[in-house]
Amino acid sequence: MGAMVVAEVVVVTDQLSDGCDVVVVGGGAAGLSGALMLARARRSVVVIDADAPRNAPAAGVHGLLARDGIRPAELLERGRAEVRRYGGHVVPAEVGAVAREDNGFAVALADGRTVRTRRLLVATGLVDELPDIPGLRARWGRDVVHCPYCHGWEVRDQAIGVLASGPLAVHQALLFRQWSTDVTLFSHTMPPPTDEEAEQLAARGISVVDGEVASLEIVDDRLVGVRLRCGTVVSREVLTVSSRMAARAGFLAALGLRPAEHPQGVGEYIPADATGRTEVPGVWVAGNVTDLAAQVGTAAAMGAAAAAQINADLVAEETRQAVAAYREPFSPESEARLCELVMGDRRHGL
């Protein structure tokens, strides 16, 4: 295939080496929202999309204004189309490594291609690490759920079980009580509730079942119960699980950027300030990779906010360069910039 031209940047399908203003790693809500904002700011943008969305098993995205219930795949299709409408590129690939260069970063893809960029926006999301219980993962996103705000309405008034698999199990049970009067907490392998927690659960009519969960009971492709190690089956229609969440960001370690343990003990995330700026100059993060609890709408807003900061950062850099050229019109840097503006890709040497 031939070359695709975006502003002054040429992106070739087999070698993405000419460079761009921003590479966005991750093509979910956060990444596409950030890419859209940057493309509309007339920045050259390449989105690297591994096409492995966390919410793929879900039937719909909920709580998203004007798009409530939209299929996750359709939301992403619409997002890609909008980014491309403004000249952005969405490249199906996976990032293998990232290295610092003089003027930015070299992003090596798993298929051998490389793209060079001035700034990096990482929106790779997270991986849900689920308890090793037979039958559980296969039901994930269907009748095994995690977020009351994502799934609560859809499971309202059903018999809900809450699997104690992390430090927020009691909190999760109390939340789901808002959607159903029939909620049971399975202590599983976690310590029993404290006296204060037990009182809260009892006051809300939430029963507690002790003993390790062995498996799920499925009939006609529906969850009908939870089987304990002792053989007892407790009838349930829905099971909620707090997964341990791990940021998808191993490739950032080469830049000195590593995940930190979340204060609530629910997983690992990439720390950043309120704008998404990390401690590594030139690298921003957005969405679940830095906020484990962010829903789709929140993630999209984070991507847009980070993109605005990235554009402002690039504008500041370009302004410094312009001022230096203005003060010293015959410097090598000024002549190189002039040559780039006049000759574009035909320039040589400078």
Side-chain angles (χ1 to χ4, degrees):
M1 295 179 64
M4 300 175 289
V5 180
V6 178
E8 298 176 2
V9 179
V10 178
V11 179
V12 185
T13 55
D14 62 349
Q15 183 66 22
L16 302 168
S17 59
D18 287 340
C20 62
D21 288 328
V22 185
V23 161
V24 179
V25 187
L32 291 174
S33 180
L36 177 63
M37 182 72 79
L38 289 161
R40 283 178 50 83
R42 310 187 76 175
R43 293 296 178 185
S44 53
V45 182
V46 176
V47 179
I48 308 300
D49 181 16
D51 196 22
R54 178 194 185 195
N55 64 355
V61 175
H62 295 290
L64 184 62
L65 186 64
R67 284 289 181 265
D68 183 67
I70 189 172
R71 292 183 300 106
E74 182 183 353
L75 181 67
L76 297 184
E77 287 169 9
R78 287 171 176 259
R80 295 185 198 109
E82 290 176 352
V83 170
R84 289 174 174 136
R85 183 190 310 160
Y86 292 98
H89 289 277
V90 181
V91 178
E94 185 175 348
V95 171
V98 177
R100 169 74 72 180
E101 291 192 338
D102 290 341
N103 297 320
F105 306 91
V107 182
L109 307 186
D111 60 14
R113 293 179 293 174
T114 300
V115 57
R116 288 175 170 79
T117 182
R118 298 166 65 190
R119 300 294 186 273
L120 197 63
L121 173 56
V122 178
T124 44
L126 57 82
V127 174
D128 289 294
E129 298 174 352
L130 299 175
D132 186 17
I133 295 174
L136 190 148
R137 180 167 287 280
R139 312 302 304 181
W140 183 243
R142 301 169 66 190
D143 39 28
V144 174
V145 299
H146 71 293
C147 172
Y149 302 105
C150 300
H151 307 286
W153 177 264
E154 284 64 43
V155 302
R156 65 192 184 281
D157 298 326
Q158 297 185 44
I160 299 174
V162 178
L163 182 70
S165 56
L168 299 181
V170 170
H171 174 68
Q172 189 178 35
L174 292 170
L175 283 178
F176 269 95
R177 176 62 179 78
Q178 174 66 22
W179 282 266
S180 175
T181 58
D182 187 358
V183 178
T184 296
L185 175 68
F186 294 88
S187 61
H188 190 43
T189 57
M190 298 294 291
T194 64
D195 290 344
E196 181 181 5
E197 291 171 335
E199 184 179 39
Q200 293 172 344
L201 294 168
R204 294 292 281 158
I206 300 171
S207 60
V208 178
V209 174
D210 294 325
E212 184 177 354
V213 172
S215 63
L216 305 186
E217 295 291 301
I218 310 298
V219 175
D220 295 332
D221 199 32
R222 291 188 306 109
L223 175 66
V224 297
V226 174
R227 181 178 292 275
L228 302 180
R229 188 69 64 189
C230 66
T232 301
V233 175
V234 180
S235 177
R236 294 289 92 181
E237 298 170 281
V238 179
L239 185 66
T240 73
V241 179
S242 290
S243 64
R244 177 174 171 80
M245 298 169 281
R248 292 172 169 156
F251 60 89
L252 291 177
L255 300 178
L257 197 57
R258 292 177 171 80
E261 184 68 26
H262 193 276
Q264 293 181 314
V266 295
E268 293 182 336
Y269 70 107
I270 299 297
D273 68 12
T275 71
R277 187 191 300 262
T278 72
E279 63 184 18
V280 175
V283 180
W284 275 257
V285 290
N288 285 140
V289 73
T290 186
D291 182 350
L292 301 181
Q295 292 182 266
V296 171
T298 305
M302 293 173 70
Q309 293 296 319
I310 291 171
N311 182 62
D313 190 54
L314 288 168
V315 167
E317 178 181 277
E318 291 157 356
T319 301
R320 288 192 298 271
Q321 293 170 346
V323 169
Y326 180 79
R327 291 174 176 172
E328 194 67 47
F330 300 108
S331 68
E333 292 79 8
S334 298
E335 296 211 10
R337 178 58 179 161
L338 179 63
C339 181
E340 179 182 349
L341 291 173
V342 173
M343 300 295 291
D345 293 329
R346 294 172 293 159
R347 69 188 185 278
H348 297 284
L350 295 177

